[in-house]
Amino acid sequence: MKLQVPQGATEVKGAIRVQPQENIYLLSFVTSEQAAEAIAEDLRPDHPLAVEGPSSSSLSGDGFERLGLTPPQELRSVRTTSACPPCVGDSRRRHIQGIEIHIGEVTGNRVQVYLAAY
């Protein structure tokens, strides 16, 4: 995904979900809300982060659950957006076709960031 996990982030977990047609790259960590929003903005999202209700679909499938995390599609009031690096000419991520971004509250100003890319 070519991004740096923010300094001071905790609970950093990542994995590759191997699939027949394309692999899904998963990354999750807890950081400040400000850092999470900066990361989302740097990914050049298709639309602003918005609160969505629980959803059954996600690129990550059960990948985050296998990392011991509650999947983002099961969280309430999670803010979600997506990015298409090739669509916006983001040459830093030209090997990535799409990225799902989910940000869920943990405590205070700390949030759980979930990123799934393919």
Side-chain angles (χ1 to χ4, degrees):
M1 288 183 238
K2 302 249 179 164
L3 65 87
Q4 285 206 289
V5 173
Q7 188 173 8
T10 60
E11 301 177 44
V12 180
K13 295 183 179 186
I16 299 173
R17 182 174 187 192
V18 178
Q19 299 189 138
Q21 292 195 3
E22 57 198 9
N23 295 333
I24 305 294
Y25 301 89
L26 305 170
L27 178 63
S28 181
F29 51 88
V30 174
T31 190
S32 70
E33 189 168 349
Q34 182 180 4
E37 289 175 358
I39 285 171
E41 190 62 32
D42 181 59
L43 292 171
R44 301 183 187 174
D46 302 330
H47 48 82
L49 284 164
V51 175
E52 295 183 6
S55 168
S56 61
S57 67
S58 174
L59 280 175
S60 63
D62 65 352
F64 288 114
E65 192 172 3
R66 289 179 180 245
L67 290 173
L69 301 169
T70 301
Q73 62 268 29
E74 292 182 14
L75 298 174
R76 293 176 193 234
S77 302
V78 65
R79 293 181 294 156
T80 302
T81 190
S82 60
C84 174
C87 301
V88 296
D90 187 350
S91 61
R92 299 170 297 169
R93 300 176 180 94
R94 63 179 163 261
H95 66 287
I96 300 286
Q97 295 300 307
I99 303 171
E100 276 185 2
I101 305 152
H102 305 276
I103 298 176
E105 291 182 24
V106 177
T107 58
N109 72 338
R110 303 290 285 175
V111 294
Q112 181 86 39
V113 176
Y114 298 86
L115 301 168
Y118 66 98

